[in-house]
Amino acid sequence: MVRLDRLVNVLGGYGVRLACCPVPRSAELRSVAVHDPADDRTTQGDVFLAVGAGSVAEAVAWGAAARAAVVLVRTGSDREAADVGEAHGVAVLAVDPAVSWSELAGVVYGLVLEGRETESGRGPTDLFALADSLAAAVGGAVTIEDRRSRVLAYSSLQQHADPARSATILGRRTPEPLRRLFDARGVVAHLASSDEPLFVPPDPEHGLSGRMVVAVRAGREALGSVWATCAEPLTGVRRTALADGARTVALHLLRSRASADLERQVESDLVSQLLEGTVDAATVVSRLGLPPGPLRVIAVRAHVADERHAALLLAFDRATTGFGWSRPGRSALAGTSLYTVLPGERAAPAREWVAALRAALPAQVTVSAGIGGTARPADLPAARREADECLALHESRTPDDPPPAYDESWDDILLQRLRAAAKAGRTPTRGPVAELRRHDVEHGTRYTATLRAWLAAQGDLAEAGDRLGVHQNTVRNRLRKMAGVAGLDLDDARKRLALVIALAAEDDTPGAVGTGQGTDPGL
């Protein structure tokens, strides 16, 4: 079984486009049918390969007769395929002429018929069926976990099940109190160094009955562990069955990893094309399985202290973990950043995505993020630049602040650009603002602050005085003296605008121009 969304995601890497989808993308596909011109009988299947169809209309008609949810057909017109598919209520996948039916059939049959998928959402394996087989062989409930104690599969057999097992399955990972218990008892150290099964005695305080656990390993690399409930240590054939089962699990996980790595690469390549710019961005979006409509780019950096690479790779792993239909975004790594293309017009879902990513990472990992503005597929390179600037803005704040979105924080980003230019020496070192600053330093005046307050108050002397905590006549007298010091021409609108920009470019205090607050003495 495979979800329609996952089928779309995988086949996108083989040059297959989603032309229309009038059925839910979470639809489960359990069977495959192929048109056989030599057989008059109507075959039925959830996925229909319209081999030999003379037209899209004929292909979709065959698929509808086969009660298919999705039809694969060769066509050069996505519009025609969409019209016909919508009329029949069948999803249509348009196959590139360069892709052979035999290659495509192998992929489709493998995805649909080969069994369930692992938690990563990649690589069809049947870990749940294997857990059931092991449970029958050892006579106890079985749980298969990865090396981070996350649940990959569990048996339907509930014999000897206990509260600890229930909590582990419901939480999708071993609860922290149990992990500390196993560490204290030496279980973690045993799994790291030995391939032999180990008996873990009961602990009523933690709701734990007896367990046999064995490491799942490929060579020297630990991949996970297999746990079986039992009242006493397993011996004889049951112990052998558990050890053999761990080796079989290792093969499944290695196969899953190979599939995951391949699909991550395909996904990353497609996302990179979108972010760098491509003439056929809409097709690439479809190949990624993203719905049509507005998109946003999220830029993320993750680090632990000064170490950036390991945390970033872990963030990428979490961002690309999960079934295709449950992962709203598609991600790629570039340099020191993780980029995710996320569907949606509002910034709130993007912030929720970042929060979910942060929650999935270890507590010591610091995550900073920026969210680009709403974009069409062709505009994603610009959205990436916006996300980068928002990321830089977030990194200048505290990690607990919400990630800024470009359409909400464009003013802060503009000021950030000005300040970066000033620090790089790309702003004038002479002029009215520079003269006022020098005068303040040499004579202890507050001319720069007064100018800032007057501009923020849009020339209202009383309001400027309130901002400074002085009488409006004091502001008037200062302005008169400042004109002599720096040659101010406050009647010229363009010069007033230039003064605002000059003050903003040299002031690192957020909102300084708008509030009259700044870095001058006495403010």
Side-chain angles (χ1 to χ4, degrees), residues 141-146 149 174 182 186-192 194-201 210-217 224-230 232-234 239 242-243 246:
V142 167
T143 306
I144 301 173
E145 300 179 6
D146 68 7
S149 300
T174 301
F182 295 148
V187 177
V188 176
H190 175 86
L191 292 176
S194 176
D195 294 335
E196 292 299 316
L198 173 71
F199 180 68
V200 182
R211 292 282 195 283
M212 285 292 287
V213 60
V214 62
V216 175
R217 204 181 316 276
S225 55
V226 178
W227 300 74
T229 58
C230 52
E232 55 188 19
L234 298 178
R239 180 187 175 94
L242 183 63

Side-chain angles (χ1 to χ4, degrees), residues 45 51 68 121 138 153 162 204 231 244 278 281 345 359 364 383 393 403 411 486 496 514:
V51 181
V138 303
D162 53 32
D244 291 344
T278 175
E345 187 168 359
Q364 66 270 28
L393 187 63
D411 52 335
R496 290 198 303 272

